[in-house]
Amino acid sequence: MADKKFRRIGVLTSGGDAPGMNAAVRSVVRTAAQNGLEIMGVFGGYRGLVDNDMKLLGSRDVSNIISMGGTMLFTDRCDEFKEEAGLQKAMKTCQENKIDGLVCIGGDGTFRGAQDLTRRGIPCIAIPGTIDNDISATDYTIGYDTAMNTVVDLVDKLRDTCESHARCNVVEVMGRNAGYIAINTGIATGAVGIAIEEFPFDADGMIEKMKELKKAKKRNFIVIVSEAFGAEFSENLAKRIDEETGIETKFARLAHVQRGGRPTLRDRELASLMGYKAVELLLEGKSNLIVNIRNEVIGCEDIEYALCYDKLCKGKIKVEDIKGFTDEQIAKMVADAEIRRQRMLSSYEIASKISI
Ligand code: F6P
């Protein structure tokens, strides 16, 4: 798949770290090396482009990182890069270091950066790496599976002690504004209630159910809450449950522990396949794409399309966002968004029906 146009490409990880980012970096480096390309590891996300912080990586430099959490390239959310002056510095760094293309691993902020650089002449391919799974153009993001397994492991431990003491534990999980981690870990831990922003949460109904279950001698109760509700919500809910049910209720915010740890098989595999695909796309002369997985097939989507579709799925779309897309594309976005919504709704409803 080699193309003479590319001699040296860069790879960076940006935004919140996610387990599996290292596996993606490894795959990018090795695929590039296999194709006779030099590869520059850029440190600290886009900050490394602004500050010219990078080094050449060979295949052996990424040995043994496949099983490691975090990112060996470090990461940052770089405000300077969002300004034109910062972008120009980044462009200059790419030119000085003879970087012909970039693979950018991260969330939607990372994609916008990749889009900005592509528009200015550095072809970029983005890979979705975030525990939140809040990138609508892909079924799974790198790190999501590991984060969910971490939550399940921790909540299982909480359940043990809840059972011993006949308690409830309200557990707040990450996901930013998205309820994917909450809904799936709620199902997987048998939570009595799951609160996500996407669908109405019936706190009264849940409390009534808990009273009934207490009468039926149920001793442990887990309630999973998405962090999207804000800092006070979970703690207040715990107090309310305690007062209204008479079940002693504790609160736990799992926080950044969800971002660390060894990536699961699923994340390592996904990251490895996506890393390979990203380099393949660059070598085919493509750019401004995000690599994705849909219905178990690794593919790609135009970044503009992916960002627009994402806004649609999140109910944030404005008229100006859809300018430039054909009626057919918009109809497809609407239909796909509805499928995605229905899938989540179905999980939400089933979770409630079986938590009795
Ligand atoms: O996007 C990943 C994420 O962990 C979110 O789930 C969370 O809301 C946010 O990042 C936390 O950001 P920070 O690491 O800046 O505290």
Side-chain angles (χ1 to χ4, degrees):
M1 58 184 171
D3 182 322
K4 294 279 173 301
K5 216 170 93 188
F6 287 96
R7 292 195 48 230
R8 179 182 287 177
I9 63 170
V11 57
L12 59 83
T13 51
S14 167
D17 60 351
M21 279 182 163
N22 277 326
V25 170
R26 170 182 177 272
S27 174
V28 169
V29 169
R30 298 236 167 125
T31 309
Q34 281 250 317
N35 283 279
L37 299 179
E38 286 182 338
I39 179 110
M40 199 62 114
V42 179
F43 293 106
Y46 292 115
R47 159 84 38 220
L49 287 184
V50 173
D51 294 346
N52 198 352
D53 186 9
M54 55 187 67
K55 79 165 190 191
L56 280 171
L57 296 175
S59 281
R60 299 275 62 81
D61 293 317
V62 291
S63 293
N64 305 323
I65 65 167
I66 196 164
S67 58
M68 291 176 188
T71 160
M72 68 163 278
L73 292 178
F74 313 132
T75 186
D76 197 359
R77 295 187 175 105
C78 179
D79 289 334
E80 196 180 347
F81 179 75
K82 292 180 190 149
E83 307 296 327
E84 188 55 39
L87 261 164
Q88 287 308 327
K89 277 195 203 170
M91 287 297 296
K92 193 161 168 263
T93 306
C94 288
Q95 280 143 13
E96 280 172 8
N97 290 281
K98 299 194 166 29
I99 292 176
D100 305 315
L102 268 171
V103 177
C104 309
I105 307 164
D108 52 5
T110 307
F111 303 162
R112 276 187 284 275
Q115 198 177 29
D116 288 338
L117 287 171
T118 303
R119 282 183 185 144
R120 284 162 184 77
I122 303 290
C124 294
I125 301 290
I127 295 180
T130 164
I131 64 162
D132 302 336
N133 205 40
D134 59 347
I135 309 295
S136 310
T138 185
D139 291 344
Y140 297 102
T141 56
I142 296 167
Y144 171 54
D145 187 62
T146 307
M148 288 196 297
N149 277 287
T150 300
V151 171
V152 167
D153 185 41
L154 294 171
V155 173
D156 284 350
K157 291 182 166 81
L158 290 172
R159 181 185 290 281
D160 289 346
T161 162
C162 283
E163 177 70 15
S164 305
H165 289 264
R167 282 178 181 159
C168 170
N169 218 309
V170 174
V171 183
E172 186 195 276
V173 299
M174 278 188 168
R176 205 177 287 276
N177 298 313
Y180 293 105
I181 295 179
I183 180 97
N184 289 317
T185 59
I187 292 172
T189 58
V192 69
I194 303 171
I196 57 173
E197 256 208 334
E198 287 84 344
F199 305 114
F201 171 58
D202 177 12
D204 295 340
M206 183 190 75
I207 285 174
E208 286 314 307
K209 181 159 72 176
M210 289 177 73
K211 286 182 193 165
E212 289 304 312
L213 290 168
K214 185 185 169 193
K215 277 191 216 150
K217 306 272 182 252
K218 181 170 170 62
R219 291 178 61 84
N220 71 71
F221 298 87
I222 297 293
V223 179
I224 301 282
V225 178
S226 155
E227 68 169 343
F229 289 96
E232 317 246 297
F233 182 90
S234 305
E235 281 172 273
N236 289 340
L237 182 64
K239 278 189 206 127
R240 205 183 140 194
I241 293 170
D242 196 303
E243 282 161 17
E244 293 182 27
T245 64
I247 301 163
E248 190 186 352
T249 302
K250 304 280 181 187
F251 162 68
R253 174 172 291 127
L254 300 188
H256 291 80
V257 69
Q258 295 161 92
R259 290 240 297 264
R262 289 155 59 83
T264 57
L265 176 151
R266 171 114 199 150
D267 277 330
R268 296 180 200 193
E269 181 202 9
L270 183 67
S272 301
L273 299 182
M274 285 185 162
Y276 179 87
K277 180 77 179 175
V279 177
E280 188 182 56
L281 288 167
L282 269 182
L283 289 171
E284 283 167 6
K286 299 188 177 139
S287 64
N288 210 34
L289 300 172
I290 79 158
V291 179
N292 64 1
I293 182 164
R294 291 189 86 171
N295 303 319
E296 299 303 312
V297 178
I298 302 283
C300 60
E301 192 69 84
D302 182 78
I303 295 184
E304 254 93 38
Y305 185 96
L307 290 176
C308 179
Y309 173 59
D310 201 51
K311 283 187 184 167
L312 183 82
C313 289
K314 292 172 180 162
K316 292 182 182 162
I317 197 94
K318 296 196 192 104
V319 181
E320 59 265 32
D321 295 325
I322 54 172
K323 278 186 192 147
F325 294 104
T326 63
D327 290 350
E328 211 182 345
Q329 283 177 313
I330 295 164
K332 182 165 177 1
M333 282 189 213
V334 171
D336 285 349
E338 185 51 24
I339 292 170
R340 204 171 159 93
R341 200 188 79 84
Q342 283 298 336
R343 245 190 244 161
M344 196 180 203
L345 179 60
S346 160
S347 295
Y348 190 61
E349 288 173 348
I350 292 170
S352 167
K353 284 182 189 150
I354 59 177
S355 62
I356 50 168

